[in-house]
Amino acid sequence: MNKTRCIALILVAVLICAFGTTAGTTKKSRFTLAPMATTFATGSTIRMVFSSESPHAEPQLFVIHSYGRTLLDAKHEGRNCIFTLPESYSRKSGAVSWYLLNGNQTVDSGVFQIISNVHTKTVIENYLGPRRILAGGKEFTMMVTVPTDAFDNPKEDHTPVRLHYQFLQEIRNRTLETKDFVAWYDIYSPTQSGKLLVATECTATVSKEIETEVYPNIGTDFTIAYARNHEFADGNQITRFSTSLIRDTFGNTVSDGTLVTFIIKTRRDMVLKTFGTTINGIATAQILHPDHPDRYRVKGYITGIAESNTLDIGYKPVAPSFHYSFSNHNRTITVGPIKSYMNQLVPDGIKVTLQVCDEKNREIASLQEETSRGIASFILGDALCDDRYHLNITTLGMTQITPNLHCDNQ
């Protein structure tokens, strides 16, 4: 029994000593933060000084910053524990939360602010876009300015920014203020085309000019005309089409490269197309003369945007008739020489079609050759020679029918 009491007394004594030691340690580990500012400019040296009642304390400072998180060790000067924020952290603006750790305990905490440094040189970042807009006042380009300090931190809200923009002979100025770190302004397009130059200024720092191109608006209706060397359907010469000067609603000449499509309808309602792109507001195109008498109706279009008047162009036959002859027992047919409107030979390559028909005008065969020096020749084989037949010879839109013939097999 006495032995049990002795053991109990020993345990009580040990516990009392343990609590006494803990209380003493806590008392020795108290820290007091020296007075410090709550706001610092970027680039400043930021130090936190804690005084300690214990000369052997080894606290650490846990820092949370927008740049990252880090754990700092103290530098001791007597009973003072000094923490210096790394330069990479002190150069970035934002809120800094700190926690003083001693062992596994947080013994103090707080927050301070780092703001942009107004005493360093201002740096301006400009963004302008879109860089291409149409004249007329409906489209705009937006100028966005981000003024920063020398450490690339945005300036505080309400920092004044001076905006300058020039178009042709007019220069305008406007004062803006930053909000949420940026200043911005919408510049609407004028009614004329040209270059729009923009620059900004903030606290004695000026930017380089940035340009936006103001292009002409979409074209309006226009007129077309044509020119040609002659009016004959020789299949050789060219008819040229040209537009009037195409402008937009505001009188600007449309941009170079605007596509104009010329739609051509023939007498037989066939549709032909030719294209031209504008240079200095005028588009030109050309088309080959038909190889037979025809009439063209021509109209120009800027697809979905504008259209022109309609031209009515007629093409006359180059000659009223042509010659042909037979040889080799009516098996060889020579067409030509075919002459044109000035009694000259037609160009090489004119198509001549020979249709072989029986007595009931049923087609037996169809042959085609091209002229060389105004002449085209055909040779009928034995299989094409019926007892009696006739020929339909067509060229340059003219057709001549031969009398009924028969092959001479002698």
Side-chain angles (χ1 to χ4, degrees):
M1 188 69 177
N2 291 332
K3 186 176 180 179
T4 302
R5 285 182 179 179
C6 183
I7 293 172
L9 290 172
I10 292 171
L11 290 174
V12 170
V14 169
L15 290 173
I16 291 172
C17 291
F19 279 115
T21 302
T22 303
T25 301
T26 302
K27 184 176 180 181
K28 291 180 181 179
S29 300
R30 289 179 180 175
F31 298 91
T32 302
L33 176 63
M36 64 175 287
T38 57
T39 303
F40 298 88
T42 53
S44 304
T45 300
I46 302 176
R47 303 174 69 208
M48 299 182 68
V49 180
F50 294 89
S51 59
S52 172
E53 296 178 358
S54 170
H56 305 293
E58 293 291 340
Q60 291 180 302
L61 189 70
F62 182 56
V63 177
I64 301 176
H65 186 276
S66 59
Y67 191 73
R69 302 180 180 188
T70 190
L71 190 64
L72 305 178
D73 293 322
K75 179 181 178 181
H76 296 279
E77 293 182 1
R79 291 181 179 272
N80 290 334
C81 300
I82 303 172
F83 298 93
T84 303
L85 197 67
E87 188 178 87
S88 57
Y89 282 69
S90 64
R91 288 188 171 194
K92 298 298 177 182
S93 61
V96 180
S97 301
W98 58 267
Y99 301 87
L100 185 65
L101 307 179
N102 186 37
N104 294 325
Q105 295 181 339
T106 299
V107 296
D108 202 355
S109 64
V111 178
F112 60 85
Q113 296 285 336
I114 302 177
I115 61 174
S116 61
N117 195 329
V118 297
H119 300 293
T120 61
K121 182 180 179 180
T122 299
V123 178
I124 298 177
E125 295 183 16
N126 285 336
Y127 304 91
L128 181 68
R131 294 295 186 91
R132 296 175 177 85
I133 56 178
L134 295 180
K138 291 185 178 180
E139 298 188 1
F140 62 86
T141 184
M142 177 184 284
M143 182 64 174
V144 179
T145 300
V146 185
T148 64
D149 62 14
F151 307 110
D152 201 30
N153 298 289
K155 294 280 189 176
E156 297 298 313
D157 283 355
H158 307 296
T159 298
V161 176
R162 190 74 172 160
L163 174 67
H164 313 282
Y165 56 100
Q166 175 263 332
F167 183 78
L168 299 181
Q169 304 302 319
E170 184 177 16
I171 299 177
R172 294 187 179 183
N173 304 289
R174 182 176 292 271
T175 300
L176 311 174
E177 289 187 350
T178 59
K179 180 181 180 182
D180 298 328
F181 308 133
V182 302
W184 59 271
Y185 185 71
D186 294 335
I187 305 174
Y188 283 83
S189 62
T191 56
Q192 292 178 278
S193 59
K195 287 186 183 295
L196 176 67
L197 303 179
V198 187
T200 56
E201 179 182 353
C202 181
T203 59
T205 298
V206 294
S207 72
K208 295 188 294 185
E209 67 181 33
I210 310 176
E211 68 179 45
T212 284
E213 191 73 32
V214 181
Y215 283 100
N217 216 303
I218 59 176
T220 54
D221 289 349
F222 54 96
T223 61
I224 58 174
Y226 72 95
R228 55 186 178 177
N229 290 333
H230 58 69
E231 59 184 351
F232 295 101
D234 64 352
N236 183 54
Q237 291 300 310
I238 289 173
T239 299
R240 296 173 177 83
F241 305 113
S242 62
T243 68
S244 60
L245 184 63
I246 304 175
R247 301 180 183 271
D248 65 10
T249 307
F250 309 99
N252 301 301
T253 301
V254 296
S255 301
D256 287 351
T258 301
L259 181 66
V260 178
T261 304
F262 296 88
I263 304 294
I264 304 163
K265 287 187 178 181
T266 69
R267 184 177 289 165
R268 296 180 182 179
D269 287 333
M270 292 181 61
V271 177
L272 309 175
K273 290 183 181 180
T274 184
F275 304 90
T277 54
T278 57
I279 298 177
N280 296 327
I282 297 175
T284 59
Q286 55 190 24
I287 194 167
L288 197 65
H289 282 211
D291 59 2
H292 57 275
D294 208 337
R295 182 166 294 277
Y296 285 175
R297 291 178 60 82
V298 186
K299 192 166 187 176
Y301 295 90
I302 302 176
T303 306
I305 295 175
E307 61 183 40
S308 75
N309 57 311
T310 301
L311 299 177
D312 194 343
I313 308 173
Y315 294 91
K316 295 180 179 181
V318 295
S321 62
F322 54 87
H323 298 286
Y324 60 88
S325 60
F326 297 92
S327 60
N328 192 24
H329 308 292
N330 293 339
R331 294 178 181 272
T332 300
I333 300 94
T334 302
V335 180
I338 304 172
K339 297 182 179 181
S340 190
Y341 60 94
M342 291 192 304
N343 206 34
Q344 80 276 26
L345 294 178
V346 296
D348 289 350
I350 295 297
K351 293 180 180 179
V352 180
T353 302
L354 184 71
Q355 187 180 34
V356 183
C357 300
D358 61 16
E359 289 184 297
K360 296 181 180 180
N361 205 33
R362 292 176 300 190
E363 182 180 299
I364 301 172
S366 181
L367 307 176
Q368 181 175 288
E369 295 289 345
E370 294 182 352
T371 60
S372 176
R373 296 184 178 181
I375 296 175
S377 297
F378 299 87
I379 298 176
L380 301 181
D382 293 339
L384 296 180
C385 285
D386 201 353
D387 290 337
R388 298 187 67 83
Y389 63 93
H390 68 268
L391 305 175
N392 297 334
I393 307 172
T394 302
T395 185
L396 294 172
M398 299 175 290
T399 300
Q400 295 192 36
I401 302 175
T402 68
N404 288 331
L405 306 168
H406 70 276
C407 290
D408 186 354
N409 294 321
Q410 296 180 355

